[in-house]
Amino acid sequence: MYCSHCGYKLKNEKIYKTIERDQKNANNIKYLAKLFLSSLSRKLKIDIYLLKEQGLSKNEFNSKVALLKKENDKIKLEANEKLRANDLNYFKNKLNYNDERKVTTLDSFACPRCGSVIKHNLEENGIKALARAAHSEIHRGRNNISSGMCGLMIGIILACIGFMFLALSFKATNGGQLDPQCVEFYVFIALVLFGFILIVYAFINLFRGKSKIKHYEELLREINNGAFHQ
């Protein structure tokens, strides 16, 4: 199942784990409250990210973010009051909770990323929303690739500078031998280590970006081919 709000794909194994975990905690109000509050935080982050992609002016963006945060704080305050009142049904309703949930149960799963309800059967508006979410994910994938390329270049530059400091660690006063106690050698270690971390981070981002673009381009092809129409 895909979230039509943010494009997140909920895999079958996660669905089974979610059902098993939720069944164990079906009447644990603290568990449900924590689940709901964390979904609120994730939803706020994704809403702010979606606002950034709209190309709003700075004042308009800040104004809308302030409204989102105000609404989020209002819901959190209400949720905390319900938690103190031990109102279990409130959280079950908010999470669209069903004590007899099955893998095929519709409208049962909250998106782990944004907190929206994930549906099996999508109507036309839901399909269009899913297509928009897929385009957003492709954009995020491109951002991952850009970030990865920047990290890769910076990491390589730092590593090259580090090896220059390694060359400076061979002191004439030490008979041209490596002096592992000198400042240059410590700078070499620091730069190469930091450069290596950046290079690893860059390759991870490149891989994530490529796989995300490939995955959501396939999703768009499925949407165009009518795979999600009833």
Side-chain angles (χ1 to χ4, degrees), residues 157-184:
I157 290 169
L158 288 178
C160 291
I161 295 172
F163 281 107
M164 291 180 187
F165 276 93
L166 176 64
L168 294 174
S169 301
F170 291 87
K171 301 289 186 178
T173 54
N174 196 30
Q177 299 296 314
L178 176 66
D179 182 6
Q181 302 299 323
C182 66
V183 175
E184 289 87 348

Side-chain angles (χ1 to χ4, degrees), residues 79-226:
N80 286 322
E81 288 176 355
K82 296 294 183 181
L83 177 60
R84 285 192 291 271
N86 205 34
D87 190 347
L88 184 65
N89 289 329
Y90 170 84
F91 294 102
K92 285 190 174 184
N93 291 333
K94 285 290 185 181
L95 292 167
N96 208 26
Y97 216 81
N98 186 340
D99 291 337
E100 299 179 353
R101 293 168 66 193
K102 300 177 182 178
V103 178
T104 54
T105 304
L106 301 179
D107 303 350
S108 294
F109 299 96
C111 175
R113 180 192 285 171
C114 70
S116 298
V117 174
I118 300 179
K119 300 181 180 181
H120 267 110
N121 56 338
L122 295 175
E123 297 178 355
E124 191 64 34
N125 288 338
I127 293 170
K128 290 179 180 178
L130 181 58
R132 288 194 296 270
H135 282 293
S136 296
E137 286 296 309
I138 290 171
H139 182 66
R140 291 188 189 102
R142 289 174 181 151
N143 286 342
N144 284 138
I145 291 175
S146 299
S147 176
M149 291 300 295
C150 289
L152 183 61
M153 293 299 103
I154 294 171
I156 290 172
I157 290 169
L158 288 178
C160 291
I161 295 172
F163 281 107
M164 291 180 187
F165 276 93
L166 176 64
L168 294 174
S169 301
F170 291 87
K171 301 289 186 178
T173 54
N174 196 30
Q177 299 296 314
L178 176 66
D179 182 6
Q181 302 299 323
C182 66
V183 175
E184 289 87 348
F185 185 73
Y186 290 115
V187 174
F188 154 71
I189 293 174
L191 287 174
V192 169
L193 181 62
F194 192 52
F196 176 76
I197 292 171
L198 272 177
I199 290 170
V200 171
Y201 165 80
F203 276 112
I204 291 172
N205 256 359
L206 287 171
F207 175 77
R208 285 177 61 194
K210 286 284 187 183
S211 61
K212 188 172 287 188
I213 289 172
K214 180 181 177 182
H215 175 78
Y216 284 97
E217 283 180 344
E218 289 177 357
L219 174 58
L220 284 175
R221 281 195 291 272
E222 289 181 8
I223 292 172
N224 292 333
N225 292 332

